[in-house]
């Protein structure tokens, strides 16, 4: 889906007022009255007469919220804030252990439910063991709350994990599955077009440590560009994400595998109309 910056800002502004929960997705649909139909094996959200992909809207939602979390992360991790949240949690479950205390607390202070669950779990374990818990222990308990040695807290953490649509182990699994699905669809398309290519596994077997999704053994022309390799990202390609990928991944592909003259096809789940879908990152 191609958006103008004005369209993106309209969507982003709407997302400012909603927490990163699955209930918020319903509010998003209400904000953008829509009808949904199937098109080219994708589900599309029709908004104000324009075709808006639901997956793209969710991607924008997630990326904008992650920017917000990065800006406000520090204030939630001061000793005073942690102790305040923990005492509020204890008071809440003391009154009603079945109520979604942690989830409501996270929404109230505008913090991701899964990250709030991590804060409270770490504080609980530290008070119980008298030593800071290891990161691996915390991660295992977040993935499987039944390991938490307190039934009430385990239920509270579970509620946060399943209701958070931007952070947490459940979201990580979904993102990984979506990314893999996009790679499979791209592979099928390349095979259908009878294009010769090497995938990541084949490239790693040849000794490459960082690789794009596919290298075309015989380059192809796309919109006047000779494409040598393809990278698929199951996210909206806004300027911030695009430049992060450039410095975190794409430049290393050039340095390891290619000439600076090579062009690449970068596939995003939508991008700005001012961006070129196919180009040499050196000119981005």
């Amino acid at each position: 889906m191609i958006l103008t910056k004005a369209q993106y800002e309209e969507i982003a502004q709407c997302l400012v007022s909603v927490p990163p929960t699955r209930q918020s997705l319903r509010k998003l649909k209400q904000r953008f009255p829509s009808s949904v139909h199937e098109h080219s094996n994708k589900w599309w959200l029709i908004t104000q007469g324009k075709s808006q992909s639901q997956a793209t809207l969710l991607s924008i939602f997630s990326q904008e919220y992650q920017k917000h979390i990065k800006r406000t992360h520090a204030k939630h991790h001061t000793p005073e804030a942690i102790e305040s949240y923990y005492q509020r949690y204890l008071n809440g479950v003391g009154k009603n252990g079945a109520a979604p205390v942690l989830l409501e607390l996270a929404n109230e202070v505008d913090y991701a439910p899964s990250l709030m669950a991590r804060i409270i779990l770490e504080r609980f374990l530290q008070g119980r063991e008298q030593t800071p818990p290891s990161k691996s222990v915390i991660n295992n308990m977040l993935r499987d709350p039944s390991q938490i040695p307190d039934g009430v807290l385990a239920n509270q953490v579970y509620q946060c994990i399943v209701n958070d649509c931007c952070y947490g182990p459940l979201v990580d699994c979904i993102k990984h599955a979506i990314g893999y699905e996009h790679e499979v669809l791209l592979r099928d398309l390349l095979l259908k077009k009878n294009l010769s290519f090497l995938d990541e596994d084949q490239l790693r077997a040849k000794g490459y440590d960082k690789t794009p999704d596919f290298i075309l053994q015989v380059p192809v022309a796309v919109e006047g560009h000779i494409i040598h390799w393809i990278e698929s990202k199951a996210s909206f390609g806004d300027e911030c994400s695009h430049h992060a990928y450039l410095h975190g991944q794409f430049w290393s592909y050039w340095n390891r595998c290619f000439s600076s003259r090579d062009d690449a096809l970068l596939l995003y789940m939508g991008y700005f109309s001012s961006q070129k879908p196919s180009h040499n990152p050196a000119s981005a």
Side-chain angles (χ1 to χ4, degrees), residues 133-141 143:
S134 67
K135 186 176 180 179
S136 62
V137 168
I138 294 294
N139 289 339
N140 287 336
M141 288 185 177
R143 293 190 191 100

Side-chain angles (χ1 to χ4, degrees), residues 37-197:
H37 69 94
E38 194 173 8
H39 176 69
S40 300
N41 297 321
K42 297 289 183 181
W43 286 96
W44 297 96
L45 184 63
I46 306 305
T47 304
Q48 298 173 342
K50 299 183 178 64
S51 180
Q52 304 273 39
S53 164
Q54 286 194 80
T56 299
L57 287 173
L58 178 57
S59 177
I60 294 172
F61 183 19
S62 178
Q63 288 171 205
E64 286 298 312
Y65 193 78
Q66 287 173 25
K67 293 176 188 177
H68 168 72
I69 289 297
K70 289 178 181 178
R71 291 192 298 267
T72 62
H73 176 82
K75 75 175 185 179
H76 296 290
H77 285 262
T78 65
E80 296 78 13
I82 292 173
E83 196 59 34
S84 173
Y85 296 157
Y86 189 61
Q87 292 304 319
R88 291 181 64 179
Y89 158 74
L90 292 177
N91 292 336
V93 296
K95 296 176 182 178
N96 184 358
V101 176
L102 269 189
L103 181 61
E104 291 176 353
L105 175 59
N107 292 340
E108 181 183 334
V109 301
D110 196 14
Y111 200 49
S114 292
L115 300 183
M116 177 60 74
R118 177 182 286 273
I119 288 176
I120 300 303
L121 178 58
E122 287 180 351
R123 174 63 181 81
F124 167 78
L125 293 176
Q126 185 171 352
R128 189 171 182 268
E129 306 294 338
Q130 301 302 316
T131 56
S134 67
K135 186 176 180 179
S136 62
V137 168
I138 294 294
N139 289 339
N140 287 336
M141 288 185 177
L142 290 174
R143 293 190 191 100
D144 180 12
S146 67
Q147 297 183 25
I148 298 174
D150 181 276
V152 174
L153 179 55
N155 181 55
Q156 294 288 327
V157 169
Y158 174 78
Q159 291 179 28
C160 288
I161 297 298
V162 299
N163 280 286
D164 196 328
C165 62
C166 292
Y167 284 93
L170 179 58
V171 171
D172 290 341
C173 289
I174 292 173
K175 287 181 177 179
H176 177 76
I178 292 174
Y180 181 72
E181 178 189 16
H182 279 239
E183 290 183 19
V184 171
L185 291 172
L186 179 55
R187 176 196 298 274
D188 290 345
L189 180 60
L190 293 174
L191 291 172
K192 183 178 180 181
K193 297 295 183 180
N194 294 317
L195 297 178
S196 180
F197 62 85

Side-chain angles (χ1 to χ4, degrees), residues 228-244:
H228 293 252
W229 57 269
I230 304 174
E231 177 76 9
S232 174
K233 295 296 180 185
S235 61
F236 186 84
D238 64 3
E239 292 174 339
C240 180
S241 299
H242 179 62
H243 285 289

